[in-house]
Amino acid sequence: MKRALVLVLAASLLLGACSGMTYTQQRVLTGGAAGAGSGALIGWAAGNPAAGAAIGAGAGALGGLIYDQYEKSRGRP
């Protein structure tokens, strides 16, 4: 029970910290987080989850930045 409370508190703090971010920052952070998670899973299957998470985070952040540039080219914020 105590562990679940700590996880909920940590998640609410992380979500609250994103409220003042620009759209670019939000997209890059989201891409990095998604990439880190999927990279960790792939790395776990390959035997090195830390390296997979690091590579995935970099690739996801780059993907988020590219997506942001695409959205801006379409006239969206």
Side-chain angles (χ1 to χ4, degrees), residues 18-33 57 60-73 76-77:
C18 295
S19 64
M21 295 177 126
T22 65
Y23 286 112
T24 300
Q25 292 169 336
Q26 290 176 1
R27 290 173 180 145
V28 169
L29 181 65
T30 301
L62 181 61
L65 184 62
I66 291 169
Y67 178 71
D68 178 66
Q69 295 302 313
Y70 169 74
E71 287 294 313
K72 286 182 179 178
S73 73
R76 298 180 184 154

